Amino acid sequence: MAEMKEKKIKREERHRDTWDPFQLNPVGAEKEGSRTCFRLAQYLVAVFVGLAVLTSAVIAKGSLLVLTTLSSPKSMRSEKEQQFYMLMLVFCLVCPNFLVFLKSLWRCAFKSFVRPNMRTMAFICAIECLVSLGTSVLVLVVMPEFDVLTNLFISGGVCITSAILQIIFKLQRESWRIVFPICSLLLTIAGYCLLGMDYYVRVHSHVDGETANSFKFVAIGICASLLVSLCWWENPLQATNRVQDTLSELDGFRDFVFIISSILRVIFYCILSQAFCSAACHWFGVVACKIHAVRMSFALPVCCTGPAVLLVGLILFITQAQTLGGDKTMSITGDFSSVFSYINFMLRINTTPMALLEVTNSICQTSLNSYYLQWPFSMLALEGVCMWSGFVTCTYYVWKIKVQRIERTSQLFVRRLYESVFIDQSLLLNTKMKVARAKNQASHDEIQDCVIYLCATMWHETYDEMLKILTSMFRLDRYRGDPKEEHSDYFNFECHIYVDDAFTGEDVPERRLVNSYVEDLIHVVVEVYRVFTNKEPDDVSIIETPYGGRLMLVMPEGNMLYIHLKDKRRIRNKKRWSQIMYLYYLLGWKGYIVKNPQKINTRRSSLISVDGEIFLPQFENDNKRKFISDDNTYILALDGDTDFHPKAVILLVDRLRMYDNVGAACGRIHPTGMGPMVWYQKFEYAVGHWLQKTAEHVFGSVLCSPGCFSLFRGSALMDDSVLKRYTTTSTRASEYVQYDQGEDRWLCTLLLQQGWRVEYNAASDAYTNSPQEFKEFYNQRRRWGPSTLANTLDLLHSGAETVKRNTSISRLYIFYQMFTVGSSILGPASVTLMVAGAFQFVFKIAGTLSIIIASIPPVLYFIVCFVAKPNNQITIAAIMSVLYAFLMTASFFSIIGDMVVQGTFLTPTGVFLVSMAIMYLVTALLHPQEFTMLIYGLMYFICIPSGYLLLTIYSLVNMNIVTWGTRESNKTEGEVKKQHNLLCDRNCRICCWDMKLQVLLPDNWVYPVKEEFLKKLTYANLKKNLKEQIWYTLRNKNEDDVCEELVLMLTDTLNGELSAVGPEDVLTDLQVEQLQHELTQQARHILKTNGMNRLEKRVKRAIEKTLTAPKVQKLDEKDFWNKLIDRYLAPIKNTKQHEEEVTKELKSLRNKAVFLYFIINVLWVVATFFLQAIGNDIISIKIPKLHSNGTPSGEFLKVEPLSLMFLLSFAVLLFIQFLAMLYHRYKHAEFTSFQILLFPAVKI
């Protein structure tokens, strides 16, 4: 209600000044509310992760202590039981090494593989062998001989090597911090000494089970812990610059080293809960670092693991020992010797939990069980304090570490391997002392600044579609704030909109006018500006350019918005050429002028105001660009109907910041709209991102970063054979298909071939309009299908060279893409066989006859596509799609009915259907925000014949048509438009003569555009603008009283000066000048009265901006644009002969592709037909029929082998993609499950 009242008050204020107070309120334009609950949720998750780290670490460490106790020769277990628990300890040692072996093997197979240096390899293997020897001896030999408390304390000594190296290399920034490693070394040595003294007292005080042989195990344990401490030798060395060459060389083949070292560890050398909790503790620790909760959720819980285990053990001991055997009278505070004697008795009758009794029996081996002296137990407690204190002081640097949002795991930890038996020590000692940053970052503590150019291409968008993209840009402007101020995400940005086919009229420049699409765009800009600021645009410039025209606007927070209007008679239109246009302008020209500041036109100095502020801040951005490298210059490619939020952009920026080899990153695209076609696309897009894109991301690299929402690295686009080759003009048939029909995919193919990686971020959401009509959908996919196949085949053709250049693409990934392409080529045959199966199920006809019947419709449609016009082809496809949908619906229920009749779902069709349902259900559950996409799954299922059979035929047969096919204008070139420069239009009749008289003003398109923006100088708008401008200018000065007085008095002055002016009348130049003088004098008087003369310049600037009319400027980049157009972007004027040759080549290419598709699919169908005709009794695979409870029925199901093999191959492809999706969900859970908590990040 409060929000509605506020809207009502604002509307009433607007209504006092104009009869048209109504405005749009685009979705998402409202200002973000308080983030108190958001911040609370961040802390709650940090606490949850911290508790998860602590709980899993305590369970893992406690389980290890219990296992060592149960496997001890001094336990009361039988020899076979002791051997069993010893095997569990071995499993605890082997488990993490096996996991690392699998991950490293996968990376070497699907990612980069560098041949190792044998000398370095031998050194690493020697270290790993020593560590493995120490770990196995300490865990399997020594710890079973010690008591549980000693085992708990001795693990703290594994930090001794790290402390020594920190002292030797003096890694501390402040010299006094060397006290921490020195104290750690002294405390650890003291702990070892106390350990020896404790066992000396035990032996000489005749503690049960302690003999002179115990000294041998003490010495072996100390030596073994020293060997274990070598595990983290690399961390201190990475923090220094002594051996950087060797360590850099090691990073290149680290995965191969882990394969060898993990095998060595397994050869050299528990329960499942210990292994699982160790892995969980490691994973939660990584998550804690990545959500910026290092202190609360990582360092604190890990440091408290040892004391927590001791505390939990004491609580259990105290609470349970009082009731052993049901005796309530014995007090734990009594004589310890009698208590332990009673526990030994209870062990023999085994009436209480085994683990607790074995632990208490282990405690009996300490000095507490001495019949003479119990005070030496204090040495054991002091040993634990020294070991724990030494460990904490050695890893003090973890508390001060600074990490970026979504930091790379390899940048946080030295080794991918974790030590499950020393999980707490492993986590902290493995954390890097100095977190490395990208080479292009000057500071190790701050994120490097970057500049983002938002580039949207428009082609006949509607008003609502324009509203989406403009609202998104203004949201980013509000999030970024004033470009002259620093921002937590360290980025600057500019918005560029490139409008194709923006003009109408004759070729004479004086007669050119903007068309209705540009008029709509100007109205949208003004409307969105009003919504975000409650005033009109302030700084607007109109410029005549060699390519058409340009509008420059300053957004509410001071960031720039450029609208480039392209005249197709002066420059090439369509999306690819718009991309070349802005890439050369933003990367080529702007990169050139910032590297050569002397080339900048000196007239820009005239744009500086009296108080040093720049009227148009685009030049400020150019100055900032001088300090930003091409690696940190990003291009955000957008469509004219894309809707996104700032969070989505920042997540893509983080990707490119973290990974130097990433040339492009894309987000999750959501289709919007209404109707059955949109429903089908919603599930299609969901499955494509859930399975296909994640599989590409995990196994190699994403092949296509869609142009509707993708972030590109400037240096990647400027690489050799990328942007330069992207300017190639299509001359051959294959080039028209590959280059012009799928420009986004071709650009990504060029990046991949030059060694750059393309990534997918599932947390970065963007929304774009999808085709709502059947015809528009088919025409869109007619472009996408052949271009996708052409670019994939191009990548496969250059696979050997690409594998050498691109570390993200391996031969296995190339094989995976070959398998995927083969499956897509066999798509029509697969769907035909599916339809044949539907006929067989529904109508109970023979298999051979069903194949013949199912093959007739696609063959007929195939013929129709060759003889009919495209529109008629689409109409027939729509009719056939409806019929197929009825058949697929009947087939779906028939399959279910068949499973009921058969009494089991364990048939090939039943298993496939059930498994697909389960797979998609699990996938949707792992994407909870998109779970509702399953609703559209049935629509997708019944449209499979249309999408994979009819659409494939239509795309192939019409491959020779290279027009865009979508968003074609419904208005003809001869459209009669409102003539803004028409002064007189009269029809005259004199005698028998008919005459038409027109008198035109000499202005071109600039005048009507300027006239639209001049509406800000009406009385109604001036009053509103002045108020908002004063408040905005003084928003950070904490002078609300003065601000209110200024607004009140200046408004009265304005009312008095314009009392004779109508609310919709535009002020003349003389009126503006006089009003500015009066307002300035009044403001000076008010400020002088209040003693606020220091604000005079700002208030004067606010008045000037309020009264500034749109400016018509001259372009100082004409030479660049003329040369660019002449070299790359001149309109293509093909001769009739050339067009005929291209048409002939396109038809020839179409015929070859159709023939190849036709032969492959026909061979597959014919082979299945003959195998079916031979009979199931001769050639078949017999599958035992099972009932629903799993018991065999004694009958067999006979399936032709070819169909079964295809079913398996199709299922294998989906299963591989499903596994990739699971890995992707696990790997990126820190910024998908916790994405809402990472934006903005909170350091805890």
Side-chain angles (χ1 to χ4, degrees):
M1 291 298 295
E3 183 180 355
M4 294 182 65
K5 289 181 180 179
E6 184 179 356
K7 288 181 180 180
K8 181 180 178 181
I9 293 173
K10 290 183 178 180
R11 185 173 63 253
E12 290 176 350
E13 289 179 355
R14 293 195 303 268
H15 209 172
R16 294 191 188 100
D17 305 320
T18 179
W19 57 267
D20 186 14
F22 316 108
Q23 68 178 21
L24 290 176
N25 189 15
V27 177
E30 62 276 1
K31 196 168 184 178
E32 291 85 353
S34 175
R35 302 174 72 90
T36 304
C37 296
F38 188 84
R39 184 64 60 88
L40 178 61
Q42 287 180 312
Y43 279 101
L44 289 176
V45 169
V47 171
F48 169 77
V49 174
L51 291 176
V53 172
L54 179 61
T55 303
S56 55
V58 168
I59 295 176
K61 201 169 191 68
S63 302
L64 176 72
L65 296 176
V66 170
L67 285 177
T68 55
T69 303
L70 294 174
S71 61
S72 173
K74 302 176 183 179
S75 70
M76 302 302 295
R77 303 301 100 199
S78 65
E79 184 176 353
K80 288 186 177 182
E81 289 179 310
Q82 293 176 11
Q83 293 176 354
F84 173 74
Y85 294 125
M86 186 64 69
L87 288 176
M88 290 186 178
L89 280 176
V90 173
F91 173 77
C92 294
L93 294 176
V94 169
C95 182
N97 293 278
F98 181 70
L99 295 177
V100 170
F101 170 78
L102 292 179
K103 184 171 183 178
S104 300
L105 183 64
W106 169 78
R107 289 183 63 86
C108 285
F110 285 98
K111 303 293 181 180
S112 60
F113 173 75
V114 180
R115 189 178 298 277
N117 180 287
M118 298 310 298
R119 183 176 178 181
T120 306
M121 186 73 184
F123 173 75
I124 298 298
C125 290
I127 294 292
E128 294 297 330
C129 287
L130 291 176
V131 173
S132 302
L133 176 63
T135 303
S136 57
V137 169
L138 183 62
V139 176
L140 303 179
V141 178
V142 176
M143 293 181 72
E145 297 291 337
F146 286 168
D147 61 274
V148 66
L149 295 179
T150 303
N151 289 335
L152 174 63
F153 298 151
I154 198 174
S155 60
V158 298
C159 64
I160 188 169
T161 298
S162 178
I164 293 173
L165 292 177
Q166 290 183 52
I167 296 172
I168 293 175
F169 294 112
K170 298 179 181 179
L171 302 177
Q172 298 73 25
R173 292 185 179 179
E174 296 86 0
S175 57
W176 67 270
R177 290 185 183 273
I178 199 173
V179 173
F180 288 100
I182 292 176
C183 291
S184 174
L185 180 61
L186 294 177
L187 289 170
T188 303
I189 294 174
Y192 284 140
C193 294
L194 290 170
L195 173 64
M197 293 173 61
D198 178 44
Y199 269 86
Y200 177 83
V201 173
R202 293 189 195 185
V203 172
H204 287 80
S205 60
H206 305 290
V207 174
D208 288 345
E210 302 295 347
T211 63
N213 198 37
S214 300
F215 296 118
K216 177 180 68 176
F217 290 103
V218 171
I220 294 174
I222 294 174
C223 294
S225 61
L226 291 175
L227 292 178
V228 173
S229 67
L230 295 175
C231 183
W232 300 282
W233 65 274
E234 193 179 345
N235 194 3
L237 292 182
Q238 278 194 353
T240 185
N241 297 321
R242 302 295 178 87
V243 289
Q244 286 301 311
D245 293 338
T246 302
L247 295 177
S248 299
E249 182 184 25
L250 175 60
D251 286 335
F253 52 85
R254 186 178 296 276
D255 293 311
F256 184 78
V257 170
F258 280 140
I259 292 177
I260 303 300
S261 62
S262 58
I263 293 176
L264 288 174
R265 282 173 171 250
V266 171
I267 294 176
F268 232 95
Y269 316 104
C270 264
I271 198 168
L272 291 177
S273 63
Q274 201 280 339
F276 172 78
C277 290
S278 299
C281 181
H282 177 262
W283 185 82
F284 277 113
V286 172
V287 171
C289 292
K290 293 197 175 188
I291 64 172
H292 284 210
V294 177
R295 292 185 289 273
M296 177 185 293
S297 304
F298 181 66
L300 179 62
V302 174
C303 287
C304 293
T305 298
V309 171
L310 179 62
L311 179 63
V312 171
L314 289 176
I315 292 175
L316 291 175
F317 174 71
I318 293 174
T319 56
Q320 297 296 323
Q322 293 179 348
T323 58
L324 289 177
D327 191 349
K328 309 289 185 181
T329 59
M330 182 171 292
S331 173
I332 198 65
T333 58
D335 183 31
F336 275 100
S337 297
S338 60
V339 172
F340 290 135
S341 299
Y342 183 73
I343 290 175
N344 285 327
F345 168 74
M346 296 305 300
L347 275 171
R348 295 185 178 88
I349 62 176
N350 197 23
T351 58
T352 54
M354 175 185 63
L356 178 62
L357 291 178
E358 289 291 358
V359 170
T360 53
N361 178 51
S362 177
I363 297 176
C364 294
Q365 302 171 21
T366 66
S367 300
L368 285 176
N369 199 25
S370 173
Y371 291 98
Y372 303 102
L373 298 173
Q374 294 180 358
W375 65 266
F377 180 77
S378 59
M379 288 191 296
L380 179 61
L382 188 58
E383 172 201 344
V385 173
C386 290
M387 290 292 191
W388 181 79
S389 301
F391 166 62
V392 173
T393 52
C394 181
T395 56
Y396 73 96
Y397 56 86
V398 177
W399 295 82
K400 298 295 182 181
I401 192 173
K402 295 181 179 180
V403 297
Q404 298 182 18
R405 180 177 54 240
I406 314 180
E407 182 65 271
R408 298 172 62 180
T409 305
S410 60
Q411 297 290 353
L412 291 174
F413 301 100
V414 178
R415 301 162 58 87
R416 188 175 296 120
L417 179 66
Y418 67 93
E419 301 292 336
S420 62
V421 295
F422 307 108
I423 187 62
D424 48 343
Q425 290 82 7
S426 173
L427 284 176
L428 293 186
L429 291 173
N430 196 36
T431 304
K432 285 189 176 182
M433 297 178 182
K434 183 170 71 173
V435 178
R437 292 286 179 255
K439 294 180 181 179
N440 52 25
Q441 294 187 12
S443 172
H444 291 284
D445 299 325
E446 295 184 355
I447 302 175
Q448 182 70 21
D449 280 346
C450 71
V451 59
I452 308 171
Y453 294 109
L454 280 70
C455 300
T457 55
M458 285 192 173
W459 170 255
H460 296 171
E461 272 74 14
T462 65
Y463 190 96
D464 291 335
E465 291 171 342
M466 295 175 185
L467 198 62
K468 289 182 179 180
I469 186 65
L470 264 301
T471 302
S472 300
M473 290 179 172
F474 275 69
R475 274 198 298 252
L476 186 62
D477 172 69
R478 183 171 59 193
Y479 171 74
R480 170 58 181 87
D482 193 340
K484 294 187 288 294
E485 299 176 359
E486 292 294 333
H487 190 270
S488 59
D489 284 309
Y490 299 94
F491 76 96
N492 299 286
F493 81 96
E494 290 179 359
C495 295
H496 294 259
I497 298 176
Y498 291 80
V499 184
D500 271 310
D501 192 17
F503 292 91
T504 185
E506 302 176 9
D507 293 337
V508 181
E510 288 75 13
R511 300 291 179 87
R512 287 190 312 126
L513 296 172
V514 295
N515 59 22
S516 60
Y517 297 105
V518 178
E519 292 175 353
D520 288 343
L521 179 59
I522 294 174
H523 293 156
V524 169
V525 170
V526 174
E527 194 68 40
V528 174
Y529 203 102
R530 289 172 182 164
V531 170
F532 277 79
T533 64
N534 199 30
K535 62 188 182 71
E536 304 297 304
D538 287 323
D539 298 310
V540 180
S541 299
I542 305 170
I543 304 174
E544 182 82 30
T545 64
Y547 56 80
R550 180 192 297 176
L551 303 179
M552 291 196 305
L553 299 93
V554 180
M555 301 172 79
E557 296 295 336
N559 299 288
M560 291 301 302
L561 170 63
Y562 300 82
I563 300 176
H564 304 265
L565 307 176
K566 295 174 59 181
D567 188 344
K568 64 183 179 181
R569 292 176 290 270
R570 297 186 177 191
I571 193 171
R572 296 180 193 178
N573 65 335
K574 295 300 177 69
K575 184 175 181 179
R576 179 159 75 98
W577 304 113
S578 293
Q579 290 177 330
I580 294 171
M581 180 179 171
Y582 66 67
L583 290 177
Y584 267 92
Y585 176 56
L586 300 175
L587 299 179
W589 171 250
K590 287 206 170 188
Y592 169 76
I593 62 175
V594 298
K595 294 179 177 65
N596 300 274
Q598 70 276 7
K599 302 291 184 180
I600 302 178
N601 198 320
T602 55
R603 74 178 179 84
R604 293 183 175 182
S605 59
S606 63
L607 295 174
I608 306 298
S609 63
V610 291
D611 58 348
E613 292 190 19
I614 298 177
F615 281 89
L616 293 178
Q618 73 269 26
F619 307 126
E620 179 70 14
N621 288 341
D622 292 342
N623 291 331
K624 290 181 180 180
R625 175 84 181 270
K626 291 189 295 187
F627 308 101
I628 298 175
S629 66
D630 294 332
D631 288 330
N632 289 322
T633 301
Y634 306 133
I635 302 291
L636 182 62
L638 300 167
D639 278 351
D641 58 355
T642 305
D643 184 15
F644 62 91
H645 284 265
K647 177 190 69 174
V649 179
I650 300 305
L651 289 175
L652 294 185
V653 171
D654 286 337
R655 280 284 184 178
L656 270 64
R657 274 175 170 161
M658 293 298 101
Y659 300 90
D660 296 334
N661 66 329
V662 175
C666 61
R668 167 70 166 94
I669 308 301
H670 301 263
T672 59
M674 293 292 292
M677 291 311 306
V678 178
W679 302 340
Y680 170 84
Q681 292 173 85
K682 282 180 178 291
F683 190 78
E684 181 193 32
Y685 273 68
V687 172
H689 286 85
W690 292 350
L691 299 176
Q692 297 170 11
K693 238 177 184 57
T694 53
E696 291 178 352
H697 176 91
V698 170
F699 293 136
S701 175
V702 175
L703 296 187
C704 179
S705 189
C708 60
F709 186 72
S710 293
L711 190 70
F712 294 88
R713 190 188 300 274
S715 58
L717 295 170
M718 299 167 70
D719 201 357
D720 296 340
S721 299
V722 178
L723 183 53
K724 186 69 174 179
R725 191 180 174 195
Y726 197 57
T727 61
T728 303
T729 302
S730 303
T731 56
R732 296 181 301 172
S734 59
E735 293 175 350
Y736 279 98
V737 174
Q738 182 180 358
Y739 298 174
D740 296 333
Q741 299 297 289
E743 65 287 330
D744 305 327
R745 186 172 285 271
W746 184 41
L747 181 58
C748 292
T749 301
L750 295 176
L751 290 173
L752 293 173
Q753 290 173 337
Q754 294 304 311
W756 294 94
R757 175 175 170 80
V758 181
E759 289 211 346
Y760 164 61
N761 191 321
S764 180
D765 296 300
Y767 302 83
T768 184
N769 279 17
S770 58
Q772 302 185 46
E773 301 295 332
F774 191 84
K775 176 183 176 181
E776 189 180 7
F777 173 76
Y778 259 51
N779 282 328
Q780 181 194 66
R781 300 310 169 93
R782 184 254 301 160
R783 288 187 292 109
W784 288 5
S787 66
T788 298
L789 183 61
N791 280 282
T792 306
L793 292 177
D794 182 21
L795 185 65
L796 296 179
H797 177 71
S798 62
E801 188 65 26
T802 305
V803 168
K804 293 179 182 178
R805 290 186 178 184
N806 199 319
T807 57
S808 298
I809 295 181
S810 64
R811 287 181 172 82
L812 279 177
Y813 181 67
I814 294 295
F815 176 77
Y816 166 77
Q817 288 298 334
M818 292 173 62
F819 187 70
T820 304
V821 170
S823 298
S824 65
I825 291 176
L826 287 173
S830 310
V831 176
T832 301
L833 294 177
M834 181 188 298
V835 173
F839 278 119
Q840 192 173 8
F841 272 123
V842 176
F843 301 107
K844 306 301 180 183
I845 59 179
T848 53
L849 182 59
S850 66
I851 293 177
I852 295 175
I853 297 174
S855 302
I856 292 175
V859 171
L860 291 177
Y861 185 68
F862 181 79
I863 297 173
V864 166
C865 287
F866 270 99
V867 298
K869 294 182 179 179
N871 288 341
N872 295 334
Q873 297 173 30
I874 295 176
T875 302
I876 295 173
I879 297 172
M880 295 179 66
S881 297
V882 174
L883 298 177
Y884 272 127
F886 283 116
L887 179 62
M888 293 301 294
T889 304
S891 173
F892 175 75
F893 288 104
S894 297
I895 292 173
I896 297 176
D898 181 68
M899 287 190 291
V900 175
V901 172
Q902 295 286 348
T904 177
F905 68 90
L906 299 177
T907 64
T909 308
V911 169
F912 182 74
L913 182 65
V914 173
S915 60
M916 290 301 100
I918 294 175
M919 189 178 298
Y920 285 133
L921 179 62
V922 173
T923 304
L925 288 173
L926 293 176
H927 298 79
Q929 292 181 334
E930 303 175 37
F931 185 79
T932 54
M933 293 296 107
L934 286 180
I935 299 174
Y936 308 108
L938 183 59
M939 183 69 186
Y940 179 81
F941 175 77
I942 66 176
C943 289
I944 285 178
S946 178
Y948 290 89
L949 178 61
L950 302 179
L951 180 57
T952 303
I953 296 174
Y954 175 78
S955 301
L956 286 172
V957 176
N958 292 278
M959 187 189 297
N960 59 308
I961 302 175
V962 291
T963 57
W964 204 246
T966 55
R967 294 190 184 276
E968 298 293 348
S969 176
N970 295 325
K971 301 164 186 169
T972 63
E973 291 292 332
E975 174 191 14
V976 179
K977 298 181 60 61
K978 179 183 177 182
Q979 300 292 321
H980 294 273
N981 57 345
L982 188 61
L983 181 64
C984 178
D985 186 7
R986 291 288 185 270
N987 291 318
C988 300
R989 182 178 179 87
I990 301 176
C991 296
C992 59
W993 295 90
D994 289 334
M995 301 177 60
K996 183 176 179 67
L997 178 65
Q998 289 187 340
V999 180
L1000 298 172
L1001 293 174
D1003 297 308
N1004 63 357
W1005 67 274
V1006 173
Y1007 178 79
V1009 172
K1010 182 179 179 180
E1011 188 181 51
E1012 186 66 32
F1013 287 107
L1014 275 173
K1015 292 179 181 178
K1016 82 173 271 192
L1017 296 181
T1018 61
Y1019 166 74
N1021 287 330
L1022 281 175
K1023 183 178 178 182
K1024 176 179 59 177
N1025 294 351
L1026 181 62
K1027 174 184 176 182
E1028 297 295 332
Q1029 195 67 56
I1030 295 294
W1031 277 107
Y1032 180 81
T1033 303
L1034 304 179
R1035 66 190 185 281
N1036 296 325
K1037 300 303 178 181
N1038 298 321
E1039 301 293 346
D1040 291 346
D1041 294 338
V1042 176
C1043 195
E1044 287 181 4
E1045 185 178 355
L1046 275 171
V1047 170
L1048 182 62
M1049 298 303 293
L1050 292 181
T1051 302
D1052 290 342
T1053 301
L1054 187 145
N1055 291 334
E1057 291 293 324
L1058 303 181
S1059 58
V1061 177
E1064 301 294 333
D1065 295 339
V1066 178
L1067 270 64
T1068 63
D1069 293 342
L1070 182 61
Q1071 289 175 319
V1072 170
E1073 184 178 351
Q1074 182 179 356
L1075 179 61
Q1076 181 174 343
H1077 174 75
E1078 294 298 328
L1079 291 175
T1080 303
Q1081 292 296 326
Q1082 181 68 20
R1084 184 181 293 115
H1085 175 72
I1086 296 172
L1087 294 174
K1088 185 176 180 180
T1089 304
N1090 289 274
M1092 294 291 177
N1093 293 332
R1094 58 187 175 83
L1095 301 179
E1096 182 178 342
K1097 289 183 178 180
R1098 288 185 171 272
V1099 175
K1100 181 180 178 182
R1101 173 70 180 127
I1103 295 172
E1104 289 176 354
K1105 291 189 71 173
T1106 303
L1107 299 176
T1108 300
K1111 296 181 288 292
V1112 179
Q1113 294 184 349
K1114 292 183 179 180
L1115 185 68
D1116 59 351
E1117 304 163 344
K1118 278 189 177 181
D1119 184 62
F1120 160 73
W1121 285 111
N1122 287 328
K1123 290 181 179 179
L1124 178 65
I1125 293 172
D1126 182 62
R1127 190 173 301 177
Y1128 299 114
L1129 298 175
I1132 300 175
K1133 297 179 181 179
N1134 293 323
T1135 63
K1136 186 175 182 181
Q1137 181 182 359
H1138 176 74
E1139 291 178 352
E1140 291 176 353
E1141 291 177 357
V1142 170
T1143 303
K1144 184 178 179 181
E1145 288 184 13
L1146 284 169
K1147 288 184 178 180
S1148 176
L1149 178 64
R1150 183 271 310 270
N1151 295 337
K1152 293 176 183 178
V1154 169
F1155 177 77
L1156 179 63
Y1157 255 84
F1158 181 78
I1159 289 298
I1160 293 176
N1161 284 272
V1162 167
L1163 287 176
W1164 191 265
V1165 174
V1166 169
T1168 307
F1169 174 81
F1170 279 105
L1171 287 174
Q1172 187 76 35
I1174 291 173
N1176 289 346
D1177 294 331
I1178 300 175
I1179 300 177
S1180 64
I1181 296 177
K1182 296 182 179 180
I1183 301 177
K1185 183 178 177 182
L1186 302 176
H1187 293 295
S1188 56
N1189 58 4
T1191 59
S1193 64
E1195 301 177 3
F1196 293 90
L1197 296 172
K1198 299 178 181 179
V1199 184
E1200 62 274 16
L1202 194 59
S1203 297
L1204 181 62
M1205 289 305 296
F1206 174 77
L1207 196 64
L1208 288 177
S1209 64
F1210 185 70
V1212 166
L1213 180 62
L1214 283 179
F1215 184 69
I1216 291 174
Q1217 293 177 346
F1218 180 73
L1219 292 180
M1221 182 275 303
L1222 293 177
Y1223 178 80
H1224 186 267
R1225 290 286 91 189
Y1226 157 75
K1227 186 66 177 177
H1228 300 280
E1230 60 269 11
F1231 54 85
T1232 50
S1233 298
F1234 300 109
Q1235 58 175 302
I1236 191 173
L1237 301 167
L1238 292 176
F1239 186 84
V1242 176
K1243 296 183 179 180
I1244 301 174

